[in-house]
Amino acid sequence: MTRIATRSYSFRDAELLRQKGVHPVLARLYVSRGLLDIKELSSELTGLIAPAGLRHIDAAAVYLADAIAAKKRLVIVADYDCDGATACAVALRGLRAMGANVDYIVPNRFEYGYGLTPEIVTLAVNEKSPDVIITVDNGIASIDGVAEANRLGIDVVVTDHHLPADKLPAARVIVNPNQPDCGFPSKNLAGVGVMFYVLLALRGELRKRGVFDAKTQPKLDALLDLVALGTVADVVKLDANNRILVAQGLKRIRSGRTQPGIAALFRAAAREARSATPFDLGFAVGPRLNAAGRLADMSLGIECLTTDDEGRAWAIAQQLDAINRERRTIEAEMQDSALALLDNIDPRDNATISVFDDAWHQGVIGIVASRLKDKFYRPTITFAPAGEGWLKGSGRSIAGFHLRDALDLVSKQAPTLIDKFGGHAMAAGLTIRADAFDAFSAAFEAVGRAWLSKSQLERILETDGSLEEAYFTTQFIALMDAEVWGQGFPPPVFCDEFKLLNQRVLKERHLKLLLEKNGSRYDAIWFGHNEALPERIRVAYRLDANEYNGVTRVQLMVEHAEAA
């Protein structure tokens, strides 16, 4: 069940922004999202929070500067998603520009699991002979892996953004805005953002030592396209600091000053880099990169982001596009079988969903969990076989249900059920024994029933209310597209009543509509919905500039519609 609600905002605060020159509609959109200070609208790099606020970042800079001077061999251990791949590419490009001897290793997720495990340390030693291991987008939970590296005389520098457990690994240095006693104001940096900050601090340390001056130092802003991609793809909250990082990255992509790999991925996704948006990064470029880590080997994605050879970048981008098409096919089949499994259960009777099929691919379970969560609006965990009697689970959550904390509670109440787990409020992963699936499902459901009220299990679609007809224009759409919208700073969704003049189903899946309001007519489309609507409807919609035969017109992208 979906209910349309209108975001509240202070008319006075919106008026104050409008008086400072902000467009009247944008003024109310900003205020309803908690942005009251015109300074927060700045997307200039000078507005970034200084690196010094990150706990231990100065120690990391000093340590890495010493390691570079001593010509130590640095090896990056990356995570296998888009944030991990971009963080690895930022680390490689940035550290090499500062004179480091640096290589990387990205473990196969199916063989080695997540994070810096003892097995990955052994693999790194055998293949790369590191003096120092630097983790990107992982490591905060890698107590055993760090201990193994220490045993072998290898220092570990952890750069991560995930939530820590009660105990921290005994690393040489940890930089993570979410570690205890870190006063950094933005807790929402992605893994790639943390690594970018480490490079800023390291460059500052090398300047202090006279290795560079302001003129000869590496231009780290050249890495912001990678930072923007990883930040958007990891769905971290776009607070003011992250919005600056993303805005600057998009600016580089739109002006053509981007890594060959990102340009090639835009081309493979048939998207225009010169009008790049956060939507393109999150739904076109990011998934093609992620597909490598899901089905193949993320080192392919990392090579795409680190090569300066345009021909090689294009060849890899095409490969990644083919892997992504395969991923979509597998995902569609898994989703169909998941819905078939749920035929016998009415998810509305449950507070949570846990599903398992022994034919599923563990690289795609996270996406399927996300789709089921969207469909039924329940915290959802999907499981696939991981060999030798183990199951891998990937979960996605809804507002008000902290998934990692829920798994922590299950683990405390039934200590034998979960082998290991980790993650965030909205996404988490875990490993259980295959014969523990039913017991885990029951325990997870019990937490869901205890924590979630009936009203929390109702999807509320927040809108920005009615939009004046004067703004149904391509100019207004361009104005909105120039903003950085995303997680925690959602793109505008308006809501109005319309008369339905015409409706037809396209490709058996989508509803094409002709709507009328106060004598004006509008084309609209509702993707993934094919049921007929009544004559008077209340529609929640986004505005889109639809180009066809050289003519650009305003089209309404329907998010939800109901009888008026």
Side-chain angles (χ1 to χ4, degrees), residues 500-554:
L500 178 60
L501 300 181
N502 191 355
Q503 58 184 322
R504 59 195 170 90
V505 176
L506 301 180
K507 299 178 182 172
E508 300 178 8
R509 292 179 57 212
H510 315 301
L511 206 52
K512 189 88 174 87
L513 309 167
L514 181 61
L515 307 176
E516 184 185 67
K517 180 187 166 196
N518 297 340
S520 297
R521 294 183 169 193
Y522 305 100
D523 285 325
I525 189 160
W526 191 354
F527 286 112
H529 184 95
N530 56 13
E531 291 163 32
L533 294 168
E535 189 185 353
R536 301 270 340 154
I537 50 175
R538 188 169 177 235
V539 181
Y541 61 91
R542 288 183 292 113
L543 288 182
D544 179 55
N546 185 33
E547 196 178 322
Y548 185 69
N549 283 347
V551 180
T552 305
R553 304 173 106 122
V554 174

Side-chain angles (χ1 to χ4, degrees), residues 18-93:
R18 194 190 64 76
Q19 285 170 10
K20 289 174 180 169
V22 177
H23 185 285
V25 177
L26 285 177
R28 73 176 162 94
L29 295 178
Y30 293 148
V31 170
S32 70
R33 286 154 179 76
L35 193 158
L36 307 177
D37 186 345
I38 200 157
K39 289 196 198 92
E40 282 191 54
L41 292 173
S42 165
S43 59
E44 295 310 307
L45 278 173
T46 48
L48 273 184
I49 301 166
L54 267 167
R55 183 167 167 80
H56 301 320
I57 197 161
D58 292 339
V62 168
Y63 177 80
L64 290 171
D66 288 345
I68 292 169
K71 297 192 167 37
K72 286 190 175 175
R73 188 165 171 74
L74 314 181
V75 172
I76 313 290
V77 173
D79 188 17
Y80 38 66
D81 65 0
C82 190
D83 186 16
T86 51
C88 183
V90 161
L92 288 169
R93 285 184 175 278

